[in-house]
Amino acid sequence: MNTTELAAFIIESVGQEENVNEVTHCATRLRFILKDRSKANKEALRNSDDVLAVVESGGQFQVVIGGRVAEVYLEIVKQTNLSQAAATSADKSQEKVGIIPKVFDVISGTFSPLIPLLAGGGLLKALLTLCVTFGWMVKESGIYISLSAAGNAIFYFLPVFAGFTLANKLNANGYIGAVIGAALLEPNYTNLLVKGAAAVDIFGIPIIPVSYANSIFPIFIAVIAFSFLEKLLKKIILKDLQFFLVPLVSLAVMVPLSFLAFGPFGTYVGAGIANGIQVLLSFSPLLTGAVLGSGYMFLVIFGLHWGIVPITLQNLQNGGDPLGPMKAGSTFAQMGVAAGVFLKTKDKKLKAIAGPAAITGMMAGVTEPILYGVVLKYRRTIPYVVIAGAVGGALGASLGVELKSYSFYSVLSIPAFAPIGLHVLSVSISFFIALALTYFFGYESKGAVNKNQKTGNAADLKNANNDDSEEIIYSPVQGKRLSLTNVNDEVFSSGAMGKGVAIEPVEGVITSPVNGVVTTVFRTGHAISVTSASGAEILIHIGLNTVKLKGKYFNTIVKVGDSVQIGDKLVEFDIEKIREAGFELTTPIIITNTDRYLDVIPHTLDNTQEVLTLIKAKFVS
């Protein structure tokens, strides 16, 4: 699907816009807070080639789609009235969510908008380190100073950015949250950090000078407290006066309290966590590294890995993060599995998944395509990631490797670690252990059926013992038939969505091409999917780019889950008005699970009822 169609499909599948309280995104997944998760069509999402996985974790309904996530998110916002703004109290979900999922939801909601900036800034700092190390640049040069400022800005002013996103997440005023963070970095306060500066107090209580640049825990505590204060102020202050009194009172109360209590307390919390990690490392670096290295993959699967980000940032503020090398062991192990599958498999489609996923992981440090496209699909590889991640994590921890600037764990971010040589050693061992295990021991469970491996030809299959070696798909609409290659849309003409045929309709009625069940009904009515009784998944896309009509001129007659027979009406549409609106009515009929079949044969004669013949493959292990 193109971005517009995928956004419309996802909106439909989560139960329509009315079922969504909030939607955000991180590097690879859309994170929905739904009013009623039972209304979401998880199967339709999971069966889509454009969706890597659906994960329910931390009170969120997460749709993993990979690198297109930012584009799809923007398209969802464009097609709906949804945004990152949280729902009003009247619209809150009725689901009860435990305290731990709520904490992870708040943390991920705070950092998700900032992750691209943190990753980009951290990678820029790593590349600058590499340039200085090899003598390509000197720290005194103008280009180094300017690029260093660009890389450092997101970290130095992190209290400002986190204050904004956290306040928004808590339904409070994000700009007040940002100003509270900015106050912690304002020169009148930072001058107190200068050696020899006079001590000051507030009402006799001394201010403890602490540097809040790069910090995260102080602003978290301050903004959480502010969110409660703002709710109280809105209850007791007249609405006509809230415009200026709520910001006035909030800043007048929260900034002094941040200097006196929240800031120092948050600093101590962060230091305590960092010290606790050091205690674990001093007790047994091997054990600590092995546990985190082996288990980090599961945190990523459930989207809980963002909960470690505040700890990582706190450790970086203290000079270096020892957790980074341990997590990197797991990340490179996943890359090794993808590379091993790519080298091992002879299936072209699987190669097309594993190869790009491995490259994405190596270059960007984003491994969700590997996890959902390879590891969870071929679960025999899970122990490979656990073993290789444990070895790499234990080695990185025992060698004293640390992350020096925030970044994802990739080949390009290697300069962000020190010592670089020891980091390369530990992640290389993780990578090659996972690759070797995958290549030599295989990626499929013993005795499992690989649906991508087919034997025989059409003639053999027709003579096979099974009586249903073919399946007929009947025409869902009357009209002139075209080859998919003649469709004026590359997504369809290239066969990226599957094999099929196209029809130029002469009447505005779509009927069921099979006996089966309606599996997807697009909110805009421009497309519908039906799954036959024997498992053929048929997408009928009425016109090209007709999603832009937003449902105008379409009338959907059925709903998801309805049983249908050949010839039952599915959708009615106004041919003339759609043409007058400037849209082509070429209607592709696509078998979206084409890989299940040995061949998909189109019938191009207009006077036949049959439109496609599916030649079923005899699958072998």
Side-chain angles (χ1 to χ4, degrees):
M1 301 183 202
N2 61 34
T3 301
T4 302
E5 292 168 335
L6 181 56
F9 168 68
I10 291 173
I11 294 165
E12 176 73 27
S13 299
V14 297
Q16 304 285 8
E17 176 182 347
E18 295 75 20
N19 193 40
V20 180
N21 274 334
E22 180 184 351
V23 56
T24 58
H25 75 88
C26 56
T28 58
R29 64 188 79 193
L30 294 165
R31 296 168 177 265
F32 290 93
I33 304 295
L34 300 181
K35 295 172 186 175
D36 184 354
R37 275 188 273 174
S38 66
K39 293 182 179 179
N41 190 343
K42 290 180 282 189
E43 288 308 309
L45 287 166
R46 285 170 176 155
N47 290 334
S48 170
D49 288 340
D50 295 284
V51 175
L52 295 175
V54 175
V55 179
E56 294 183 77
S57 178
Q60 297 178 337
F61 187 87
Q62 303 171 13
V63 182
V64 186
I65 56 178
R68 299 171 61 189
V69 66
E71 296 175 14
V72 175
Y73 169 77
L74 291 175
E75 185 62 32
I76 287 175
V77 171
K78 181 180 175 182
Q79 292 184 23
T80 66
N81 294 316
L82 298 171
S83 69
Q84 290 189 42
T88 62
S89 58
D91 292 331
K92 290 289 185 182
S93 171
Q94 299 303 310
E95 280 189 86
K96 291 185 178 180
V97 181
I99 185 64
I100 293 178
K102 283 183 180 178
V103 169
F104 277 107
D105 177 47
V106 169
I107 293 173
S108 65
T110 299
F111 283 103
S112 290
L114 302 178
I115 288 300
L117 292 172
L118 292 169
L123 185 56
L124 180 56
K125 292 173 69 174
L127 293 175
L128 286 174
T129 300
L130 188 66
C131 288
V132 171
T133 301
F134 285 95
W136 302 333
M137 196 180 293
V138 293
K139 291 185 176 181
E140 294 75 22
S141 66
I143 186 63
Y144 178 89
I145 292 171
S146 61
L147 292 179
S148 181
N152 284 327
I154 178 65
F155 299 97
Y156 183 87
F157 294 104
L158 190 57
V160 179
F161 294 104
F164 179 80
T165 56
L166 176 58
N168 282 335
K169 180 63 183 174
L170 297 174
N171 298 335
N173 188 312
Y175 295 99
I176 296 177
V179 171
I180 294 172
L184 299 177
L185 304 171
E186 202 272 334
N188 282 317
Y189 171 75
T190 56
N191 287 339
L192 299 177
L193 303 175
V194 178
K195 188 174 182 179
V200 295
D201 62 73
I202 299 176
F203 302 129
I205 304 174
I207 293 178
I208 302 172
V210 178
S211 174
Y212 296 114
N214 305 285
S215 67
I216 193 64
F217 287 104
I219 192 63
F220 254 75
I221 296 171
V223 171
I224 289 171
F226 156 64
S227 69
F228 288 104
L229 174 63
E230 186 185 55
K231 288 182 176 66
L232 175 63
L233 293 176
K234 287 184 176 180
K235 287 181 180 179
I236 64 178
I237 296 176
L238 293 174
K239 286 194 174 182
D240 292 341
L241 302 178
Q242 288 180 9
F243 176 74
F244 67 93
L245 278 183
V246 170
L248 171 65
V249 176
S250 296
L251 293 174
V253 172
M254 295 309 305
V255 173
L257 281 177
S258 296
F259 288 151
L260 291 174
F262 301 140
F265 178 72
T267 301
Y268 295 145
V269 168
I273 292 173
N275 290 335
I277 293 170
Q278 291 300 328
V279 169
L280 288 175
L281 287 171
S282 62
F283 171 73
S284 176
L286 279 170
L287 179 61
T288 306
V291 170
L292 186 54
S294 62
Y296 185 64
M297 171 183 65
F298 301 102
L299 294 178
V300 176
I301 289 172
F302 292 105
L304 301 178
H305 53 306
W306 300 123
I308 303 178
V309 171
I311 301 173
T312 295
L313 294 172
Q314 178 65 39
N315 289 337
L316 290 174
Q317 186 186 19
N318 295 333
D321 174 43
L323 301 180
M326 307 177 204
K327 295 184 287 183
S330 176
T331 302
F332 275 82
Q334 294 165 48
M335 299 174 202
V337 164
V341 170
F342 177 80
L343 295 174
K344 178 82 171 177
T345 187
K346 295 180 180 179
D347 183 84
K348 291 181 180 179
K349 185 172 182 180
L350 184 53
K351 276 186 182 290
I353 294 171
I359 293 171
T360 299
M362 291 177 190
M363 296 295 102
V366 175
T367 59
E368 276 89 344
I370 299 173
L371 282 174
Y372 300 111
V374 178
V375 174
L376 293 183
K377 184 177 181 181
Y378 301 99
R379 297 188 179 182
R380 189 174 183 175
T381 62
I382 291 177
Y384 304 163
V385 176
V386 171
I387 293 168
V391 173
L395 189 59
S398 61
L399 293 175
V401 180
E402 289 188 334
L403 178 68
K404 293 299 183 180
S405 62
Y406 186 88
S407 66
F408 287 2
Y409 312 121
S410 67
V411 173
L412 294 178
S413 70
I414 285 175
F417 292 81
I420 291 178
L422 296 180
H423 173 64
V424 171
L425 174 65
S426 63
V427 296
S428 296
I429 288 175
S430 286
F431 178 87
F432 285 109
I433 287 177
L435 188 154
L437 289 172
T438 305
Y439 189 84
F440 290 109
F441 292 96
Y443 53 88
E444 292 182 284
S445 299
K446 194 171 184 180
V449 173
N450 179 6
K451 72 175 184 178
N452 292 314
Q453 291 180 337
K454 311 178 183 112
T455 62
N457 53 45
D460 294 334
L461 288 166
K462 288 181 179 179
N463 297 320
N465 291 330
N466 57 323
D467 296 324
D468 57 341
S469 60
E470 293 183 355
E471 180 173 1
I472 302 298
I473 308 299
Y474 293 89
S475 178
V477 63
Q478 296 301 312
K480 180 177 176 56
R481 300 183 189 180
L482 305 170
S483 168
L484 274 187
T485 56
N486 295 325
V487 174
N488 190 25
D489 187 317
E490 188 176 352
V491 174
F492 296 112
S493 63
S494 66
M497 293 190 66
K499 294 182 179 180
V501 71
I503 298 177
E504 288 285 353
V506 295
E507 62 178 5
V509 177
I510 298 294
T511 60
S512 178
V514 292
N515 297 332
V517 176
V518 177
T519 46
T520 305
V521 178
F522 283 74
R523 178 174 61 95
T524 50
H526 76 290
I528 191 166
S529 292
V530 179
T531 299
S532 73
S534 58
E537 298 170 3
I538 306 109
L539 169 68
I540 305 165
H541 193 285
I542 308 167
L544 304 179
N545 296 315
T546 46
V547 66
K548 295 179 180 178
L549 290 170
K550 297 185 177 180
K552 198 174 182 181
Y553 311 133
F554 292 94
N555 176 36
T556 303
I557 298 169
V558 293
K559 63 182 184 297
V560 172
D562 284 353
S563 295
V564 290
Q565 301 295 312
I566 295 171
D568 287 352
K569 282 187 179 181
L570 304 178
V571 182
E572 295 175 337
F573 57 101
D574 192 319
I575 289 181
E576 296 305 320
K577 289 187 177 179
I578 293 173
R579 284 201 178 109
E580 288 172 6
F583 292 90
E584 293 184 50
L585 273 163
T586 305
T587 298
I589 295 95
I590 305 295
I591 306 302
T592 56
N593 59 340
T594 291
D595 64 330
R596 174 185 174 133
Y597 300 95
L598 186 63
D599 202 359
V600 175
I601 302 171
H603 297 269
T604 55
L605 295 177
D606 298 335
N607 59 353
T608 61
Q609 290 298 317
E610 297 88 353
V611 72
L612 295 169
T613 296
L614 312 185
I615 306 298
K616 297 182 181 180
K618 192 174 182 181
F619 301 120
V620 298
S621 59

